Amino acid sequence: MHRLPFDSLKAGDKLAKSVFSHEGRKLLPVGTVVNEDHLNILYENNINDVYIEDDNSCFINLPRAYCEDTQKQAKMLMEQHLESRSLVPPVNNPKVKDTICKIMDEMLGSEDIITCLANMKFLDEYTFEHSLNVCLLSLVMGIGIGYNLRRLEDLGVGAILHDVGKLRIPESILKKPAKLTDEEFEEIKKHTIYGYKILKENKDISMISAFIAIGHHERYDGSGYPLHIKRNNIHECARIVAVADVFDALSTDRVYRKKMKLNEVIEYITDFSTNYFDRDIVNNFVGCLPLYQVGTGVILNTGERGLVANANKVMPTRPVVKIIYNRKGIKLKRNYKIDLTKKSNVLIEGVCEL
């Protein structure tokens, strides 16, 4: 969509945003196909410009100051994540942190990328922050896999712009507070294709980044969208971003659901690593998570409490637990161990002091 002066508006143009009078009264709803009567309404209400849908452009001509503010906010959020260790997994290695900072400075210095981010922020604050989080998580995974700087840059650009295609989705669908209809969900799915086209048309952006946009909702078993491709037919960078995308989405509060606990998110991702995700990428990711270190006090869903006796790098939510207190809260004279990999119905509910 783009902003169009009233003098250039013509019958047949489709509104990308609702039009309101200067008093706040809705004149025309989003999606209206303009006719002569509509032009008269806009003229009589002194409307100077409107937003229209345009297949050739999904970007709004935002003020330069807005783009500069977006750039500053993006850099500030990145620095806060890295310094406060709010990112999971945390970036403790100085070399890893320096590499991420170098890549982020490079990306956030690009006018094209900032234009995309500013438009995404203008459309939806959540999508903006989610994109930054997914980028950081993806870079951590890429470094863990051993990507060189050039590949990390392509991964970072694709990750931070993986949802750029949402700029071509009608706002009425994207921000709908209720459950989407089947037709609306099919429209949402198109953001992967739109994103691919947007990035592919930019000569300064690698095709790897475009492959991420179209592939981050594909699943390892072919059950994803839009192409329903499987396994190694999905670009490896897209498989990385798929994990980061789901991890951040489940870790964040939304209007329609509460965020999941860290152990629940990891449990979900590891459980579906055979069907949905690349198991090697998931294993690399969860291996970095400082979830339940040896000696950590935990409480089980059975009511029992104990200490982590052996950490599990492959399945970090299922360590071996040495039981100190039984389900009635009575301290045991003889302790015993539970291997949670062998007790699928027993889960850690949280960390506790013993």
Side-chain angles (χ1 to χ4, degrees):
M1 61 183 166
H2 69 276
R3 182 180 292 166
L4 190 70
F6 173 76
D7 292 341
S8 302
L9 187 66
K10 61 184 184 300
D13 287 336
K14 187 175 181 180
L15 296 180
K17 286 181 174 290
S18 298
V19 181
F20 294 85
S21 69
H22 298 296
E23 294 78 30
R25 180 169 52 89
K26 183 183 285 189
L27 300 174
L28 297 172
V30 62
T32 298
V33 178
V34 177
N35 58 30
E36 292 298 330
D37 290 338
H38 298 142
L39 291 172
N40 290 332
I41 292 172
L42 297 174
Y43 177 77
E44 291 169 358
N45 284 273
N46 297 315
I47 302 300
N48 297 318
D49 49 47
V50 298
Y51 290 104
I52 67 165
E53 292 187 3
D54 183 352
D55 291 337
N56 297 321
S57 174
C58 61
F59 298 109
I60 302 170
N61 294 321
L62 295 168
R64 183 175 182 81
Y66 187 89
C67 294
E68 290 174 351
D69 286 345
T70 299
Q71 183 184 45
K72 291 177 183 176
Q73 185 179 353
K75 288 185 176 181
M76 181 184 70
L77 287 171
M78 290 292 184
E79 290 171 0
Q80 287 177 350
H81 279 314
L82 291 173
E83 294 303 322
S84 68
R85 299 184 182 181
S86 61
L87 182 70
V88 179
V91 182
N92 298 321
N93 188 314
K95 289 185 178 180
V96 173
K97 186 178 292 187
D98 288 345
T99 300
I100 292 176
C101 288
K102 182 177 181 180
I103 294 168
M104 295 309 305
D105 284 343
E106 184 79 21
M107 286 195 301
L108 297 178
S110 165
E111 185 174 344
D112 288 340
I113 292 174
I114 289 300
T115 297
C116 290
L117 275 179
N119 273 263
M120 291 161 68
K121 183 174 182 291
F122 185 82
L123 180 66
D124 180 32
E125 190 75 26
Y126 166 76
T127 300
F128 167 68
E129 294 190 13
H130 169 68
S131 298
L132 295 174
N133 292 342
V134 169
C135 181
L136 280 172
L137 291 167
S138 299
L139 288 174
V140 170
M141 283 188 269
I143 292 170
I145 290 172
Y147 280 177
N148 60 30
L149 193 59
R150 178 60 185 274
R151 179 54 66 91
L152 287 171
E153 289 171 352
D154 293 339
L155 172 63
V157 172
I160 206 168
L161 299 180
H162 73 283
D163 274 341
V164 70
K166 288 184 177 179
L167 294 174
R168 288 187 178 173
I169 302 297
E171 193 172 347
S172 58
I173 295 177
L174 199 61
K175 293 186 176 181
K176 183 177 178 180
K179 184 179 179 181
L180 297 175
T181 65
D182 291 342
E183 292 77 14
E184 289 169 335
F185 186 57
E186 288 303 314
E187 184 64 28
I188 283 283
K189 288 181 178 180
K190 293 179 183 177
H191 81 275
T192 54
I193 298 172
Y194 295 150
Y196 172 77
K197 290 179 178 179
I198 291 168
L199 299 185
K200 182 184 177 184
E201 290 168 2
N202 190 316
K203 295 180 181 178
D204 295 326
I205 291 180
S206 165
M207 279 302 298
I208 291 175
S209 301
F211 291 145
I212 290 172
I214 200 171
H216 70 279
H217 281 292
E218 298 290 355
R219 294 295 176 252
Y220 212 56
D221 62 357
S223 63
Y225 64 85
L227 303 177
H228 308 290
I229 52 180
K230 297 181 180 182
R231 298 180 177 273
N232 293 340
N233 288 323
I234 308 168
H235 196 284
E236 185 176 66
C237 287
R239 302 200 302 268
I240 289 173
V241 174
V243 174
D245 182 41
V246 172
F247 184 90
D248 184 68
L250 296 179
S251 303
T252 307
D253 280 324
R254 300 307 308 277
V255 175
Y256 50 86
R257 62 159 173 78
K258 290 281 189 181
K259 67 180 180 181
M260 294 169 62
K261 295 178 181 178
L262 177 58
N263 62 307
E264 294 173 336
V265 177
I266 297 170
E267 192 88 28
Y268 177 92
I269 289 177
T270 52
D271 283 351
F272 286 99
S273 62
T274 301
N275 297 326
Y276 288 178
F277 308 115
D278 183 325
R279 181 181 289 277
D280 290 337
I281 289 172
V282 170
N283 288 344
N284 174 275
F285 180 57
V286 299
C288 301
L289 299 173
L291 194 55
Y292 301 121
Q293 303 297 327
V294 173
T296 302
V298 295
I299 183 169
L300 306 182
N301 62 345
T302 58
E304 296 162 300
R305 289 182 291 156
L307 298 172
V308 173
N310 298 99
N312 189 331
K313 289 186 177 181
V314 177
M315 300 178 68
T317 62
R318 296 195 165 276
V320 175
V321 178
K322 181 181 179 181
I323 302 301
I324 308 295
Y325 294 89
N326 66 19
R327 62 189 65 196
K328 293 182 179 180
I330 300 172
K331 189 172 184 179
L332 301 172
K333 294 181 179 180
R334 295 186 62 182
N335 307 126
Y336 58 91
K337 293 180 179 180
I338 298 178
D339 184 347
L340 296 186
T341 61
K342 298 176 180 178
K343 298 279 188 179
S344 59
N345 61 326
V346 180
L347 304 171
I348 293 176
E349 286 201 334
V351 176
C352 66
E353 294 289 337
L354 295 182

